[in-house]
Amino acid sequence: MQTPEKNIIAKTITGKTNIVGLIGWPVSHSISPPMHNAAFAELGLDWCYVPFPVRGDSTNTGSNEMVEKAVYGLVGLGIRGSNVTVPHKQAVMPFMDHLTDAAKAIGAVNTIRVEEDGTLLGDNTDGRGFIADLRDHGVDPAGKRALVLGAGGSARAVVFGLAEAGCKAVTIRNRTVSKAEELAAAMTPYFPNCAITAQTNSDSTATLVAANNEADLVINSTSLGMTPHVETMPWHEDVAFRPDQVLYDLVYNPPVTRIMQHAQTGGAQAICGLGMLVWQGAIAFELWTHQEAPAEVMRQTVETIFANK
Ligand code: NAP
């Protein structure tokens, strides 16, 4: 196995190098280029992952002109595919020829594959990445009841992943309850056998206690607890976790958040969301290369980067 530093030095672009990349703004902070390039190097693949900084709207007219140019530029330049990050995950959707059910239900594309005939497949690997990391930690969501905190972009992927993996019930608890209701309504047609409901987090702790009593899995998909606001958490201090529960926190900076500490105090298993980042990338890697991703190398690369930040 090679270190990320060695990978950067060892990479040689040839006339046959396959290019993939990341469309977003900004992209300079992204860990995806070193993560994917370490994976290509590990398998000896002549592939390279590069950042594509794409402005949201160069004309200030509200159009997605630059996004459109960037997406069709993938085809024109023979690029094999791309990840898509904020703020373009929705904006790229109209330019796709095909969308997977995951992309349609989540309402966002995070991975594009340019097919052999030049058509564009839009997928979303976040939900499957989340489930892959849960399973990596020995947790199978099938038949379980989940409580999802938050109803933003990442919650959409989490709810999709849980329902697709066979969760029997998902409660979405959010500050803005209308967003939780909209998310539940959007997912229900795809998963009629999963009871997907919404609740507000702005009432007394009584509903949180009741929801927690029902929950096998609790997932934080809010941004609370993230650096620099490490003292915050989307939970009440006086509501205890149980040893039979699992708490998954999508926040990975810091690696142990306040809600993770609270869950551990109650004896619950607490999982940091860094692995979701790795697995969504691993699944994208497999979509492009049709080869099994070296997920452990990708994880070590990401951990090394965060350890040195
Ligand atoms: P988002 O779309 O902006 O949604 C943020 C969510 O947090 C909303 O539900 C929002 O509630 C809630 N929230 C924010 N501030 C709050 C507060 N003070 N009190 C109560 N609720 C609050 O963000 P996102 O894309 O879903 O990302 C959420 C977190 O997940 C971020 O920390 C992000 O870094 C992380 N993430 C991790 C991964 C991974 O791979 N591990 C992937 C994606 C995202 P309202 O709807 O009421 O505003």
Side-chain angles (χ1 to χ4, degrees):
M1 192 183 307
Q2 301 181 37
T3 64
E5 293 77 16
K6 277 187 189 163
N7 287 329
I8 290 165
I9 294 162
K11 180 66 201 158
T12 304
I13 304 294
T14 73
K16 297 179 191 163
T17 302
N18 296 286
I19 306 291
V20 286
L22 173 65
I23 290 174
W25 185 274
V27 288
S28 56
H29 64 288
S30 174
I31 52 89
S32 289
M35 179 175 79
H36 281 280
N37 287 322
F40 294 142
E42 177 69 14
L43 298 190
L45 299 179
D46 191 5
W47 285 64
C48 184
Y49 188 110
V50 293
F52 299 129
V54 177
R55 285 188 185 275
D57 175 17
S58 63
T59 60
N60 274 336
T61 60
S63 76
N64 287 316
E65 189 186 338
M66 294 306 276
V67 175
E68 181 176 4
K69 284 179 178 170
V71 168
Y72 291 132
L74 298 175
V75 184
L77 291 169
I79 290 165
R80 302 294 300 272
S82 179
N83 282 134
V84 185
T85 189
V86 286
H88 302 321
K89 285 183 173 192
Q90 286 85 31
V92 299
M93 292 182 78
F95 313 122
M96 299 296 109
D97 297 290
H98 311 284
L99 289 168
T100 61
D101 275 354
K104 283 186 219 164
I106 295 166
V109 162
N110 82 335
T111 304
I112 298 171
R113 184 172 68 194
V114 182
E115 307 289 24
E116 292 296 327
D117 63 0
T119 57
L120 294 164
L121 173 72
D123 195 4
N124 193 309
T125 66
D126 281 337
R128 278 175 280 150
F130 163 65
I131 297 299
D133 195 43
L134 267 185
R135 291 191 174 131
D136 208 23
H137 286 85
V139 182
D140 182 359
K144 301 271 189 347
R145 292 175 178 275
L147 172 59
V148 175
L149 310 171
S154 63
R156 298 186 77 87
V158 163
V159 173
F160 180 89
L162 290 168
E164 189 184 50
C167 251
K168 72 177 170 197
V170 178
T171 301
I172 307 160
R173 187 177 167 92
N174 195 44
R175 176 177 62 178
T176 310
V177 72
S178 59
K179 281 171 69 179
E181 288 165 348
E182 188 278 321
L183 175 51
M187 290 295 165
T188 297
Y190 289 92
F191 304 107
N193 296 328
C194 180
I196 307 175
T197 54
Q199 69 173 222
T200 177
N201 79 350
S202 58
D203 54 9
S204 71
T205 57
T207 58
L208 178 59
V209 171
N212 191 41
N213 284 344
E214 295 270 295
D216 305 301
L217 310 174
V218 178
I219 299 98
N220 176 30
S221 57
T222 76
S223 42
L224 294 187
M226 192 165 70
T227 301
H229 305 294
V230 294
E231 76 292 349
T232 59
M233 66 171 175
W235 201 256
H236 292 280
E237 197 73 63
D238 48 358
V239 178
F241 282 86
R242 307 183 306 274
D244 63 302
Q245 286 181 302
V246 175
L247 178 273
Y248 191 101
D249 198 342
L250 265 68
V251 173
Y252 49 79
N253 184 18
V256 182
T257 58
R258 184 158 167 229
I259 193 172
M260 286 175 69
Q261 288 171 344
H262 187 60
Q264 285 165 339
T265 302
Q269 179 183 359
I271 307 170
C272 154
L274 199 67
M276 174 175 168
L277 194 69
V278 171
W279 281 108
Q280 63 76 30
I283 296 166
F285 180 101
E286 291 173 4
L287 267 174
W288 297 321
T289 65
H290 304 284
Q291 300 215 29
E292 188 179 339
E296 193 48 39
V297 170
M298 297 170 86
R299 177 189 301 279
Q300 286 182 15
T301 304
V302 169
E303 283 176 355
T304 303
I305 291 167
F306 278 102
N308 292 324
K309 270 195 174 180

